Amino acid sequence: MLKIGNYNFTSRLLLGTGKYPDFDIQKRAVDVSETEVLTFSVRRMNIFEPNQPNFLEKLDVDKYTLLPNTAGAKTAEEAVRTAKLAKASGLCDMIKVEVIGDQKTLLPDPVETLKATEELLKLGFTVLPYTSDDVLLAKRLEELGAHAIMPGASPIGSGQGIINPLNLSFIIEQAKVPVIVDAGIGTPSDATKAMELGADGVLLNTAVSAADDPVKMAEAMKLAIESGRLGYEAGRIPKKRYATASSPTEGMSIVE
Amino acid sequence: MELFINGDTVTVQDTVQTVVELLEHFELDQKKAIVELNATILDKESYSKTKIQDGDRLEIVHFVGGG
């Protein structure tokens, strides 16, 4: 069971809703992923085209916990405003704090992320900050009261997988709140690796939505995350330098 | 009257008096729209009683796909 603030989830996959080829594929991918948390962004409506389709309207909203992000924000102030707008929808009180400090790497601005997290916690939000894999920053976010810590595996949408498993494992070890590995996942094995390290969940989007077959990849990611979690709970064997026979060495019938 | 909606100048008939009437005017009343009026985010319940007037600045936003 994944517990974030007052929410409980069976699934440990949090799925983004951006960049799918079409709404039908997206709906099927969301269904097979068995995710319970969907992320969204807040943007201006095109008021002159009221009939533009919107994925949210195709969903049974009650079935999912919505996790809007503050993507687009460059400062804490902008992130707080976006979070307030999202909450005014009446559909959610969770927020993924995402304050991007650099447009080329899309890496989060640590100072603004801290500020936004602090302010949103004061306002009563359930706050999940997207952060770098900096261990001390993760600690500072937790000390503020963040409900989960979401370190990136590698830059957003890069599909590079986990570039610093050591830092990630330090973050996981020290955290008393859930650690959700967010951003940079490319393959199912990346997601499995994150879960084997002890992450409490994985948030991904592009790895599924931009796959050749998003529906199949959604299922692969679901299985990968379940598998990695089971492996983590089961406890791996220690690594040894030399071989250890798995067959008994006693009672061997020797050909004379 | 002239309004500034989502950064654009928009002219609306003076018969549109409240936020809910404005949303109806643009056929957005059935949408999950979130409205900010002059930098104040509005509760959905207040749309019908919140008056709009010439020169008001509005942001009308919604959820779109994102990660």
Side-chain angles (χ1 to χ4, degrees):
Chain A
M1 189 68 86
L2 171 60
K3 188 171 165 51
I4 302 173
N6 294 324
Y7 297 88
N8 292 301
F9 305 109
T10 308
S11 163
R12 291 175 182 274
L13 168 59
L14 293 77
L15 192 62
T17 58
K19 302 188 291 187
Y20 286 80
D22 62 53
F23 288 146
D24 175 52
I25 289 174
Q26 179 165 17
K27 171 101 175 53
R28 283 160 51 212
V30 168
D31 283 346
V32 303
S33 77
E34 293 180 12
T35 186
E36 294 162 88
V37 181
L38 293 171
T39 67
F40 286 92
S41 301
V42 178
R43 290 290 178 271
R44 282 173 166 170
M45 271 182 144
N46 183 347
I47 57 170
F48 301 109
E49 284 186 47
N51 296 320
Q52 284 183 115
N54 183 305
F55 181 62
L56 195 59
E57 287 157 14
K58 297 191 182 297
L59 280 184
D60 179 1
V61 176
D62 297 337
K63 260 177 71 182
Y64 300 96
T65 298
L66 303 188
L67 175 58
N69 64 33
T70 65
K74 292 178 183 149
T75 64
E77 191 184 357
E78 288 168 5
V80 169
R81 176 173 173 267
T82 304
K84 286 179 176 171
L85 284 167
K87 196 174 187 176
S89 70
L91 297 172
C92 49
D93 77 340
M94 259 194 183
I95 190 77
K96 166 177 162 177
V97 172
E98 181 176 344
V99 189
I100 298 304
D102 174 60
Q103 289 311 304
K104 193 169 177 186
T105 59
L106 297 181
L107 288 171
D109 183 318
V111 178
E112 298 299 315
T113 299
L114 271 176
K115 276 197 232 167
T117 299
E118 185 168 27
E119 182 65 23
L120 290 167
L121 286 165
K122 277 186 203 153
L123 293 170
F125 284 82
T126 300
V127 185
L128 293 77
Y130 162 62
T131 174
S132 65
D133 57 18
D134 186 279
V135 182
L136 274 299
L137 179 59
K139 190 174 186 189
R140 292 286 296 270
L141 288 164
E142 182 170 349
E143 283 167 0
L144 284 177
H147 297 86
I149 307 295
M150 303 211 293
S154 51
I156 295 172
S158 73
Q160 292 186 50
I162 302 168
I163 52 172
N164 196 338
L166 183 69
N167 270 21
L168 210 50
S169 68
F170 289 155
I171 290 171
I172 290 164
E173 270 173 46
Q174 77 181 1
K176 306 247 180 338
V177 295
V179 175
I180 313 289
V181 174
D182 179 4
I185 298 292
T187 63
S189 61
D190 294 336
T192 304
K193 185 74 189 164
M195 297 307 292
E196 284 177 352
L197 286 171
D200 298 278
V202 171
L203 194 167
L204 53 85
N205 184 344
T206 310
V208 165
S209 65
D212 288 345
D213 185 339
V215 181
K216 198 169 266 187
M217 189 58 88
E219 184 173 13
M221 289 297 184
K222 177 195 81 153
L223 295 171
I225 288 165
E226 286 174 3
S227 175
R229 180 65 191 182
L230 279 174
Y232 170 74
E233 288 176 359
R236 62 152 299 155
I237 59 163
K239 284 184 184 172
K240 293 182 200 121
R241 187 163 164 75
Y242 291 105
T244 313
S246 20
S247 311
T249 48
E250 282 175 23
M252 280 172 72
S253 159
I254 306 295
V255 180
E256 304 266 342
Chain B
M1 69 184 142
E2 221 163 58
L3 301 170
F4 300 96
I5 305 178
N6 292 351
D8 291 326
T9 305
V10 181
T11 306
V12 183
Q13 310 93 296
D14 289 346
T15 49
V16 175
Q17 291 185 337
T18 66
V19 170
V20 81
E21 284 166 9
L22 183 74
L23 292 175
E24 281 165 5
H25 172 75
F26 287 108
E27 299 174 32
L28 301 172
D29 48 308
Q30 298 304 314
K31 302 275 172 180
K32 296 182 196 307
I34 306 155
V35 182
E36 187 186 72
L37 173 61
N38 299 325
T40 301
I41 299 168
L42 303 177
D43 285 335
K44 283 199 177 308
E45 297 72 43
S46 69
Y47 288 178
S48 57
K49 51 180 193 284
T50 304
K51 300 264 191 227
I52 47 174
Q53 52 192 5
D54 190 54
D56 276 347
R57 291 181 173 274
L58 291 111
E59 287 286 327
I60 303 178
V61 302
H62 66 157
F63 285 141
V64 298

